[in-house]
Amino acid sequence: MAVRVYVEFAAKNAFTAVKRRDLIIVVDVLRCSSSIVSAFANGVKAVIPTETLKEAYELREQRADHLLAGERKGRKLKGFDLGNSPLEFVQEVVEGRTVIMTTTSGTAALVRCRRAEHVLVGAFLNAEAAAKKAAEIAQRNGVNVSFVLAGEKGLFPLEDFLCAGAIASKFPTARFNFSDEALAAVLGFERVKDALSEYVKKSRHARHLTELGFERDIEFSCKLNHFGLVPVYRDGKVTLMR
Amino acid sequence: MAVRVYVEFAAKNAFTAVKRRDLIIVVDVLRCSSSIVSAFANGVKAVIPTETLKEAYELREQRADHLLAGERKGRKLKGFDLGNSPLEFVQEVVEGRTVIMTTTSGTAALVRCRRAEHVLVGAFLNAEAAAKKAAEIAQRNGVNVSFVLAGEKGLFPLEDFLCAGAIASKFPTARFNFSDEALAAVLGFERVKDALSEYVKKSRHARHLTELGFERDIEFSCKLNHFGLVPVYRDGKVTLMR
Protein backbone atom coordinates (compact mmCIF):
# COMPACT_ATOMS: atom_id res chain seq x y z
CA MET A 1 0.00 0.00 0.00
CA ALA A 2 1.19 3.50 -0.78
CA VAL A 3 2.48 5.69 2.02
CA ARG A 4 0.51 8.95 2.32
CA VAL A 5 2.54 12.10 2.93
CA TYR A 6 0.97 14.98 4.86
CA VAL A 7 2.29 18.35 5.94
CA GLU A 8 0.92 20.06 9.03
CA PHE A 9 1.75 23.72 8.51
CA ALA A 10 1.55 24.58 12.20
CA ALA A 11 2.87 22.76 15.26
CA LYS A 12 -0.47 23.26 16.98
CA ASN A 13 -1.81 20.68 14.52
CA ALA A 14 0.73 18.07 15.58
CA PHE A 15 -2.08 16.23 17.37
CA THR A 16 -3.72 15.53 13.99
CA ALA A 17 -0.62 13.65 12.87
CA VAL A 18 -0.31 11.89 16.21
CA LYS A 19 -3.95 10.79 15.98
CA ARG A 20 -3.39 9.40 12.49
CA ARG A 21 -0.52 7.36 14.01
CA ASP A 22 1.81 8.72 11.36
CA LEU A 23 5.55 8.69 11.48
CA ILE A 24 6.28 12.35 12.21
CA ILE A 25 9.18 14.44 10.97
CA VAL A 26 9.47 17.60 13.05
CA VAL A 27 11.03 20.42 11.07
CA ASP A 28 12.34 23.64 12.59
CA VAL A 29 15.16 24.62 10.26
CA LEU A 30 15.77 27.97 11.98
CA ARG A 31 17.16 26.79 14.20
CA CYS A 32 16.15 23.98 16.53
CA SER A 33 16.27 21.04 14.09
CA SER A 34 19.54 22.26 12.66
CA SER A 35 21.04 22.65 16.11
CA ILE A 36 19.97 19.17 17.17
CA VAL A 37 21.38 17.62 13.99
CA SER A 38 24.64 19.52 14.47
CA ALA A 39 24.82 18.47 18.09
CA PHE A 40 24.63 14.81 17.09
CA ALA A 41 27.16 15.31 14.33
CA ASN A 42 29.45 16.53 17.07
CA GLY A 43 28.90 13.62 19.41
CA VAL A 44 26.16 14.73 21.79
CA LYS A 45 24.74 11.74 23.69
CA ALA A 46 21.14 12.91 24.00
CA VAL A 47 18.96 16.00 23.80
CA ILE A 48 16.03 16.41 26.18
CA PRO A 49 13.57 18.90 24.73
CA THR A 50 11.31 20.77 27.10
CA GLU A 51 8.37 22.96 26.29
CA THR A 52 8.82 25.45 29.10
CA LEU A 53 11.77 27.30 30.57
CA LYS A 54 10.68 26.17 34.03
CA GLU A 55 10.99 22.49 33.14
CA ALA A 56 14.40 23.13 31.65
CA TYR A 57 15.68 24.88 34.78
CA GLU A 58 14.19 22.20 37.06
CA LEU A 59 15.69 19.39 35.05
CA ARG A 60 19.07 21.07 35.15
CA GLU A 61 18.85 21.40 38.90
CA GLN A 62 18.40 17.65 39.19
CA ARG A 63 21.17 16.92 36.70
CA ALA A 64 24.06 19.31 37.07
CA ASP A 65 26.11 17.31 34.53
CA HIS A 66 23.65 18.18 31.74
CA LEU A 67 24.15 21.18 29.51
CA LEU A 68 21.38 23.72 29.21
CA ALA A 69 20.66 25.13 25.74
CA GLY A 70 18.03 27.14 23.93
CA GLU A 71 16.51 30.54 23.41
CA ARG A 72 13.57 32.83 23.87
CA LYS A 73 13.08 35.60 21.31
CA GLY A 74 16.14 34.22 19.57
CA ARG A 75 18.52 34.92 22.44
CA LYS A 76 20.43 32.66 24.84
CA LEU A 77 19.06 32.72 28.35
CA LYS A 78 20.36 33.42 31.83
CA GLY A 79 22.28 30.48 33.25
CA PHE A 80 22.32 28.67 29.90
CA ASP A 81 25.47 27.01 28.56
CA LEU A 82 24.40 27.34 24.95
CA GLY A 83 21.96 29.32 22.85
CA ASN A 84 20.20 27.88 19.82
CA SER A 85 22.86 28.35 17.19
CA PRO A 86 23.84 25.17 15.31
CA LEU A 87 27.38 26.56 15.23
CA GLU A 88 27.65 26.52 19.01
CA PHE A 89 27.17 22.78 19.33
CA VAL A 90 30.81 21.97 18.67
CA GLN A 91 32.54 18.76 19.62
CA GLU A 92 34.60 20.28 22.45
CA VAL A 93 31.42 21.39 24.16
CA VAL A 94 28.86 18.67 23.50
CA GLU A 95 30.66 15.39 22.91
CA GLY A 96 29.35 12.68 25.21
CA ARG A 97 27.04 15.14 26.99
CA THR A 98 23.30 15.29 27.44
CA VAL A 99 21.74 18.64 26.53
CA ILE A 100 18.49 19.95 28.00
CA MET A 101 17.04 22.16 25.28
CA THR A 102 14.16 24.59 25.22
CA THR A 103 13.34 26.82 22.27
CA THR A 104 10.33 28.90 21.32
CA SER A 105 8.95 26.54 18.71
CA GLY A 106 11.05 23.49 17.91
CA THR A 107 11.28 21.77 21.27
CA ALA A 108 7.62 22.54 21.96
CA ALA A 109 6.72 20.88 18.65
CA LEU A 110 8.71 17.79 19.58
CA VAL A 111 7.01 17.57 22.96
CA ARG A 112 3.62 17.80 21.27
CA CYS A 113 4.53 14.67 19.33
CA ARG A 114 5.47 12.69 22.42
CA ARG A 115 2.65 10.18 22.00
CA ALA A 116 3.70 9.29 18.47
CA GLU A 117 5.69 6.12 18.01
CA HIS A 118 8.12 7.42 15.41
CA VAL A 119 9.34 11.01 15.59
CA LEU A 120 12.36 12.11 13.55
CA VAL A 121 14.15 15.45 13.52
CA GLY A 122 14.44 16.84 10.00
CA ALA A 123 16.52 19.71 8.65
CA PHE A 124 18.18 20.67 5.40
CA LEU A 125 21.39 19.42 7.01
CA ASN A 126 20.10 15.83 7.09
CA ALA A 127 17.30 15.95 4.49
CA GLU A 128 18.33 12.93 2.46
CA ALA A 129 19.13 10.78 5.49
CA ALA A 130 15.82 11.73 7.11
CA ALA A 131 13.93 10.84 3.93
CA LYS A 132 15.62 7.48 3.64
CA LYS A 133 15.02 6.61 7.28
CA ALA A 134 11.42 7.81 7.25
CA ALA A 135 10.64 5.88 4.07
CA GLU A 136 12.15 2.72 5.51
CA ILE A 137 10.26 2.92 8.82
CA ALA A 138 6.97 3.94 7.20
CA GLN A 139 7.05 1.08 4.73
CA ARG A 140 8.17 -1.48 7.26
CA ASN A 141 5.44 -0.47 9.73
CA GLY A 142 2.71 0.34 7.23
CA VAL A 143 2.25 3.88 8.54
CA ASN A 144 1.95 7.22 6.78
CA VAL A 145 4.28 10.19 7.09
CA SER A 146 3.50 13.66 8.44
CA PHE A 147 5.74 16.65 8.51
CA VAL A 148 5.07 18.93 11.45
CA LEU A 149 6.38 22.43 10.76
CA ALA A 150 7.34 24.29 13.90
CA GLY A 151 6.63 27.90 12.96
CA GLU A 152 6.13 30.46 15.69
CA LYS A 153 2.67 31.49 16.89
CA GLY A 154 0.92 29.17 14.49
CA LEU A 155 2.33 31.02 11.49
CA PHE A 156 3.29 29.25 8.30
CA PRO A 157 7.11 28.98 8.12
CA LEU A 158 8.51 29.20 4.59
CA GLU A 159 11.87 27.72 5.57
CA ASP A 160 10.29 24.64 7.15
CA PHE A 161 7.91 24.21 4.22
CA LEU A 162 10.88 24.19 1.83
CA CYS A 163 12.67 21.71 4.08
CA ALA A 164 9.66 19.38 4.13
CA GLY A 165 9.86 19.62 0.34
CA ALA A 166 13.58 18.83 0.38
CA ILE A 167 12.94 15.69 2.42
CA ALA A 168 9.77 14.61 0.58
CA SER A 169 11.51 15.05 -2.77
CA LYS A 170 13.73 12.12 -1.76
CA PHE A 171 10.86 9.71 -1.09
CA PRO A 172 10.45 6.90 -3.61
CA THR A 173 7.52 8.52 -5.45
CA ALA A 174 6.19 5.30 -6.93
CA ARG A 175 5.30 4.01 -3.49
CA PHE A 176 4.38 7.36 -1.96
CA ASN A 177 1.15 9.23 -2.33
CA PHE A 178 1.54 12.97 -1.81
CA SER A 179 -1.12 15.25 -0.35
CA ASP A 180 -1.55 18.64 -1.99
CA GLU A 181 0.53 20.21 0.80
CA ALA A 182 3.36 17.76 0.22
CA LEU A 183 3.23 18.35 -3.56
CA ALA A 184 3.36 22.10 -2.95
CA ALA A 185 6.34 21.74 -0.63
CA VAL A 186 8.25 19.65 -3.17
CA LEU A 187 7.54 22.19 -5.91
CA GLY A 188 8.73 25.02 -3.69
CA PHE A 189 11.93 23.18 -2.86
CA GLU A 190 12.59 22.27 -6.49
CA ARG A 191 12.25 25.96 -7.39
CA VAL A 192 14.85 27.12 -4.86
CA LYS A 193 17.22 24.20 -4.42
CA ASP A 194 20.07 25.80 -6.35
CA ALA A 195 19.97 28.96 -4.24
CA LEU A 196 18.51 27.68 -1.01
CA SER A 197 19.86 30.23 1.47
CA GLU A 198 18.92 33.12 -0.79
CA TYR A 199 15.25 32.12 -0.58
CA VAL A 200 15.27 30.97 3.03
CA LYS A 201 16.57 34.46 3.92
CA LYS A 202 13.35 35.95 2.56
CA SER A 203 11.29 34.14 5.20
CA ARG A 204 9.84 36.06 8.10
CA HIS A 205 11.85 34.19 10.70
CA ALA A 206 15.14 34.45 8.80
CA ARG A 207 14.70 38.19 8.50
CA HIS A 208 14.18 38.36 12.24
CA LEU A 209 17.30 36.25 12.90
CA THR A 210 19.31 38.39 10.51
CA GLU A 211 18.33 41.46 12.52
CA LEU A 212 19.58 39.69 15.64
CA GLY A 213 22.92 38.98 13.93
CA PHE A 214 22.42 35.25 13.23
CA GLU A 215 23.00 35.31 9.48
CA ARG A 216 25.75 32.69 9.71
CA ASP A 217 23.29 30.30 11.37
CA ILE A 218 21.00 30.66 8.37
CA GLU A 219 23.81 29.99 5.92
CA PHE A 220 24.89 26.93 7.86
CA SER A 221 21.34 25.60 8.29
CA CYS A 222 20.92 25.70 4.51
CA LYS A 223 23.76 23.26 3.85
CA LEU A 224 21.76 20.53 2.16
CA ASN A 225 22.60 16.94 3.14
CA HIS A 226 25.66 18.05 5.07
CA PHE A 227 25.21 15.26 7.61
CA GLY A 228 23.98 11.70 7.17
CA LEU A 229 22.35 11.19 10.55
CA VAL A 230 18.80 11.15 11.86
CA PRO A 231 17.95 12.12 15.45
CA VAL A 232 14.93 10.34 16.87
CA TYR A 233 12.66 11.54 19.67
CA ARG A 234 11.33 8.81 21.93
CA ASP A 235 10.49 8.51 25.62
CA GLY A 236 11.13 12.20 26.13
CA LYS A 237 14.62 12.12 24.66
CA VAL A 238 16.27 12.70 21.32
CA THR A 239 18.99 10.20 20.48
CA LEU A 240 20.75 9.08 17.39
CA MET A 241 19.07 6.33 15.41
CA ARG A 242 21.40 3.39 15.05
CA MET B 1 3.57 52.06 2.74
CA ALA B 2 4.08 48.55 1.43
CA VAL B 3 1.06 46.37 0.75
CA ARG B 4 1.17 43.12 2.75
CA VAL B 5 0.15 39.97 0.91
CA TYR B 6 -1.43 37.10 2.83
CA VAL B 7 -2.77 33.72 1.77
CA GLU B 8 -5.53 32.03 3.75
CA PHE B 9 -5.19 28.37 2.84
CA ALA B 10 -8.78 27.52 3.79
CA ALA B 11 -12.02 29.36 3.11
CA LYS B 12 -13.05 28.86 6.73
CA ASN B 13 -10.36 31.45 7.54
CA ALA B 14 -11.91 34.06 5.26
CA PHE B 15 -13.09 35.92 8.35
CA THR B 16 -9.43 36.62 9.28
CA ALA B 17 -8.96 38.47 6.01
CA VAL B 18 -12.29 40.24 6.37
CA LYS B 19 -11.33 41.34 9.89
CA ARG B 20 -8.02 42.73 8.63
CA ARG B 21 -10.08 44.77 6.12
CA ASP B 22 -7.96 43.38 3.31
CA LEU B 23 -8.83 43.40 -0.32
CA ILE B 24 -9.70 39.74 -0.89
CA ILE B 25 -9.08 37.65 -3.96
CA VAL B 26 -11.18 34.49 -3.83
CA VAL B 27 -9.56 31.65 -5.74
CA ASP B 28 -11.32 28.44 -6.71
CA VAL B 29 -9.62 27.43 -9.93
CA LEU B 30 -11.44 24.10 -10.17
CA ARG B 31 -13.91 25.30 -11.09
CA CYS B 32 -15.97 28.11 -9.63
CA SER B 33 -13.59 31.03 -10.25
CA SER B 34 -12.85 29.81 -13.75
CA SER B 35 -16.55 29.42 -14.51
CA ILE B 36 -17.35 32.92 -13.27
CA VAL B 37 -14.51 34.45 -15.29
CA SER B 38 -15.65 32.54 -18.39
CA ALA B 39 -19.24 33.61 -17.83
CA PHE B 40 -18.21 37.27 -17.85
CA ALA B 41 -16.00 36.76 -20.88
CA ASN B 42 -19.16 35.54 -22.58
CA GLY B 43 -21.34 38.46 -21.57
CA VAL B 44 -23.11 37.36 -18.42
CA LYS B 45 -24.69 40.35 -16.65
CA ALA B 46 -24.26 39.21 -13.05
CA VAL B 47 -23.64 36.12 -10.95
CA ILE B 48 -25.37 35.73 -7.61
CA PRO B 49 -23.46 33.23 -5.47
CA THR B 50 -25.34 31.37 -2.77
CA GLU B 51 -23.96 29.19 -0.06
CA THR B 52 -26.80 26.71 0.07
CA LEU B 53 -28.85 24.86 -2.49
CA LYS B 54 -32.01 26.00 -0.73
CA GLU B 55 -31.19 29.67 -1.23
CA ALA B 56 -30.43 29.02 -4.88
CA TYR B 57 -33.75 27.28 -5.48
CA GLU B 58 -35.67 29.97 -3.59
CA LEU B 59 -34.01 32.79 -5.48
CA ARG B 60 -34.79 31.10 -8.74
CA GLU B 61 -38.43 30.78 -7.79
CA GLN B 62 -38.59 34.53 -7.31
CA ARG B 63 -36.72 35.27 -10.53
CA ALA B 64 -37.67 32.86 -13.27
CA ASP B 65 -35.58 34.84 -15.78
CA HIS B 66 -32.36 33.98 -13.94
CA LEU B 67 -30.30 30.96 -14.87
CA LEU B 68 -29.45 28.42 -12.20
CA ALA B 69 -25.91 26.98 -12.19
CA GLY B 70 -23.61 24.96 -9.98
CA GLU B 71 -22.81 21.57 -8.59
CA ARG B 72 -22.67 19.30 -5.61
CA LYS B 73 -20.08 16.52 -5.62
CA GLY B 74 -18.97 17.91 -8.98
CA ARG B 75 -22.28 17.20 -10.74
CA LYS B 76 -24.98 19.46 -12.13
CA LEU B 77 -28.16 19.41 -10.09
CA LYS B 78 -31.82 18.72 -10.66
CA GLY B 79 -33.59 21.66 -12.25
CA PHE B 80 -30.32 23.46 -12.98
CA ASP B 81 -29.63 25.10 -16.34
CA LEU B 82 -25.89 24.76 -16.00
CA GLY B 83 -23.34 22.78 -14.04
CA ASN B 84 -20.02 24.20 -12.91
CA SER B 85 -17.97 23.74 -16.06
CA PRO B 86 -16.33 26.91 -17.40
CA LEU B 87 -16.96 25.49 -20.88
CA GLU B 88 -20.73 25.56 -20.38
CA PHE B 89 -20.94 29.30 -19.86
CA VAL B 90 -21.02 30.11 -23.57
CA GLN B 91 -22.28 33.34 -25.08
CA GLU B 92 -25.47 31.82 -26.53
CA VAL B 93 -26.51 30.71 -23.06
CA VAL B 94 -25.34 33.42 -20.69
CA GLU B 95 -25.12 36.71 -22.58
CA GLY B 96 -27.11 39.44 -20.83
CA ARG B 97 -28.40 36.99 -18.21
CA THR B 98 -28.07 36.84 -14.46
CA VAL B 99 -26.89 33.49 -13.10
CA ILE B 100 -27.65 32.17 -9.63
CA MET B 101 -24.72 29.96 -8.74
CA THR B 102 -24.08 27.52 -5.93
CA THR B 103 -21.02 25.30 -5.71
CA THR B 104 -19.48 23.21 -2.95
CA SER B 105 -16.63 25.57 -2.13
CA GLY B 106 -16.28 28.62 -4.36
CA THR B 107 -19.62 30.34 -3.91
CA ALA B 108 -19.56 29.59 -0.18
CA ALA B 109 -16.11 31.23 0.02
CA LEU B 110 -17.44 34.31 -1.75
CA VAL B 111 -20.40 34.57 0.59
CA ARG B 112 -18.07 34.33 3.58
CA CYS B 113 -16.33 37.46 2.28
CA ARG B 114 -19.55 39.45 1.96
CA ARG B 115 -18.57 41.98 4.63
CA ALA B 116 -15.30 42.86 2.89
CA GLU B 117 -15.24 46.03 0.84
CA HIS B 118 -13.21 44.69 -2.07
CA VAL B 119 -13.63 41.09 -3.21
CA LEU B 120 -12.23 39.97 -6.56
CA VAL B 121 -12.58 36.63 -8.31
CA GLY B 122 -9.21 35.22 -9.32
CA ALA B 123 -8.30 32.34 -11.60
CA PHE B 124 -5.45 31.36 -13.89
CA LEU B 125 -7.68 32.61 -16.70
CA ASN B 126 -7.49 36.20 -15.44
CA ALA B 127 -4.38 36.09 -13.23
CA GLU B 128 -2.57 39.08 -14.65
CA ALA B 129 -5.71 41.25 -14.84
CA ALA B 130 -6.63 40.33 -11.26
CA ALA B 131 -3.13 41.21 -10.06
CA LYS B 132 -3.18 44.57 -11.78
CA LYS B 133 -6.62 45.45 -10.47
CA ALA B 134 -5.87 44.26 -6.92
CA ALA B 135 -2.59 46.18 -6.81
CA GLU B 136 -4.29 49.33 -8.02
CA ILE B 137 -7.15 49.17 -5.50
CA ALA B 138 -4.91 48.14 -2.59
CA GLN B 139 -2.49 50.98 -3.19
CA ARG B 140 -5.20 53.54 -3.78
CA ASN B 141 -7.06 52.56 -0.62
CA GLY B 142 -4.07 51.75 1.57
CA VAL B 143 -5.27 48.21 2.29
CA ASN B 144 -3.49 44.86 2.25
CA VAL B 145 -4.29 41.89 0.04
CA SER B 146 -5.45 38.43 1.08
CA PHE B 147 -5.99 35.43 -1.09
CA VAL B 148 -8.74 33.16 0.17
CA LEU B 149 -8.33 29.66 -1.22
CA ALA B 150 -11.60 27.80 -1.53
CA GLY B 151 -10.53 24.20 -0.99
CA GLU B 152 -13.14 21.67 0.03
CA LYS B 153 -13.60 20.64 3.67
CA GLY B 154 -10.88 22.97 4.90
CA LEU B 155 -8.24 21.08 2.91
CA PHE B 156 -5.30 22.85 1.32
CA PRO B 157 -5.90 23.07 -2.45
CA LEU B 158 -2.73 22.86 -4.55
CA GLU B 159 -4.37 24.34 -7.64
CA ASP B 160 -5.58 27.43 -5.77
CA PHE B 161 -2.23 27.84 -4.05
CA LEU B 162 -0.50 27.85 -7.44
CA CYS B 163 -3.04 30.33 -8.75
CA ALA B 164 -2.48 32.67 -5.80
CA GLY B 165 1.19 32.43 -6.76
CA ALA B 166 0.39 33.21 -10.39
CA ILE B 167 -1.46 36.36 -9.37
CA ALA B 168 0.98 37.43 -6.64
CA SER B 169 3.91 36.98 -9.02
CA LYS B 170 2.49 39.90 -11.00
CA PHE B 171 2.41 42.33 -8.07
CA PRO B 172 4.97 45.14 -8.19
CA THR B 173 7.37 43.52 -5.69
CA ALA B 174 9.09 46.75 -4.68
CA ARG B 175 5.89 48.04 -3.13
CA PHE B 176 4.57 44.70 -1.90
CA ASN B 177 5.60 42.83 1.19
CA PHE B 178 4.98 39.09 0.93
CA SER B 179 4.09 36.83 3.83
CA ASP B 180 5.77 33.43 3.94
CA GLU B 181 2.61 31.88 2.46
CA ALA B 182 2.63 34.31 -0.44
CA LEU B 183 6.33 33.70 -1.06
CA ALA B 184 5.71 29.94 -1.06
CA ALA B 185 2.84 30.31 -3.52
CA VAL B 186 4.94 32.38 -5.90
CA LEU B 187 7.77 29.82 -5.75
CA GLY B 188 5.34 27.00 -6.46
CA PHE B 189 3.89 28.84 -9.42
CA GLU B 190 7.31 29.72 -10.81
CA ARG B 191 8.25 26.05 -10.65
CA VAL B 192 5.24 24.88 -12.67
CA LYS B 193 4.33 27.81 -14.92
CA ASP B 194 5.64 26.20 -18.09
CA ALA B 195 3.58 23.05 -17.56
CA LEU B 196 0.72 24.34 -15.49
CA SER B 197 -1.98 21.80 -16.29
CA GLU B 198 0.42 18.90 -15.83
CA TYR B 199 0.96 19.91 -12.19
CA VAL B 200 -2.58 21.06 -11.49
CA LYS B 201 -3.71 17.58 -12.55
CA LYS B 202 -1.73 16.10 -9.68
CA SER B 203 -3.91 17.92 -7.14
CA ARG B 204 -6.47 16.02 -5.12
CA HIS B 205 -9.41 17.88 -6.57
CA ALA B 206 -8.21 17.62 -10.18
CA ARG B 207 -7.85 13.87 -9.80
CA HIS B 208 -11.40 13.72 -8.54
CA LEU B 209 -12.67 15.83 -11.45
CA THR B 210 -10.75 13.67 -13.90
CA GLU B 211 -12.53 10.62 -12.52
CA LEU B 212 -15.83 12.40 -13.13
CA GLY B 213 -14.81 13.10 -16.75
CA PHE B 214 -14.04 16.80 -16.42
CA GLU B 215 -10.48 16.75 -17.73
CA ARG B 216 -11.26 19.36 -20.38
CA ASP B 217 -12.37 21.75 -17.65
CA ILE B 218 -8.98 21.39 -16.00
CA GLU B 219 -7.14 22.04 -19.27
CA PHE B 220 -9.24 25.11 -19.94
CA SER B 221 -8.95 26.45 -16.39
CA CYS B 222 -5.16 26.34 -16.73
CA LYS B 223 -5.06 28.78 -19.66
CA LEU B 224 -2.99 31.50 -18.06
CA ASN B 225 -4.13 35.09 -18.69
CA HIS B 226 -6.64 33.98 -21.29
CA PHE B 227 -9.04 36.78 -20.34
CA GLY B 228 -8.34 40.34 -19.23
CA LEU B 229 -11.32 40.86 -16.98
CA VAL B 230 -11.89 40.90 -13.22
CA PRO B 231 -15.24 39.96 -11.67
CA VAL B 232 -16.00 41.76 -8.42
CA TYR B 233 -18.29 40.58 -5.62
CA ARG B 234 -20.23 43.32 -3.89
CA ASP B 235 -23.68 43.63 -2.33
CA GLY B 236 -24.33 39.96 -2.84
CA LYS B 237 -23.60 40.02 -6.55
CA VAL B 238 -20.65 39.40 -8.84
CA THR B 239 -20.37 41.91 -11.68
CA LEU B 240 -17.67 43.03 -14.01
CA MET B 241 -15.40 45.78 -12.77
CA ARG B 242 -15.50 48.70 -15.14
Side-chain angles (χ1 to χ4, degrees), chain A residues 156 158 180 190-191 204, chain B residues 156 158 180 190-191 204:
Chain A
F156 170 87
L158 178 64
D180 280 21
E190 288 175 348
R191 169 68 183 81
R204 190 186 59 87
Chain B
F156 170 88
L158 178 64
D180 280 20
E190 287 175 348
R191 169 68 183 81
R204 191 186 59 86

Side-chain angles (χ1 to χ4, degrees), chain A residues 109-222:
Chain A
L110 280 168
V111 171
R112 280 176 187 206
C113 298
R114 65 188 176 280
R115 295 192 199 290
E117 197 172 338
H118 304 284
V119 183
L120 314 185
V121 176
F124 287 123
L125 290 171
N126 72 338
E128 194 161 352
K132 206 176 145 198
K133 192 55 78 176
E136 189 188 304
I137 300 173
Q139 290 178 106
R140 192 188 333 124
N141 294 276
V143 296
N144 295 321
V145 173
S146 279
F147 291 92
V148 168
L149 312 188
E152 255 182 308
K153 300 171 199 158
L155 293 171
F156 170 87
L158 178 64
E159 69 280 16
D160 298 334
F161 174 76
L162 296 173
C163 181
I167 297 171
S169 71
K170 295 293 181 187
F171 287 154
T173 45
R175 278 165 290 154
F176 278 64
N177 178 346
F178 286 62
S179 66
D180 280 21
E181 294 90 319
L183 287 167
V186 170
L187 293 174
F189 170 70
E190 288 175 348
R191 169 68 183 81
V192 306
K193 64 184 173 188
D194 297 323
L196 201 50
S197 69
E198 180 191 325
Y199 287 95
V200 165
K201 281 179 190 164
K202 292 180 196 275
S203 71
R204 190 186 59 87
H205 194 51
R207 282 178 287 139
H208 177 62
L209 288 174
T210 301
E211 276 170 26
L212 294 178
F214 292 121
E215 201 163 351
R216 282 183 62 222
D217 286 2
I218 304 170
E219 287 290 350
F220 182 74
S221 300
C222 288

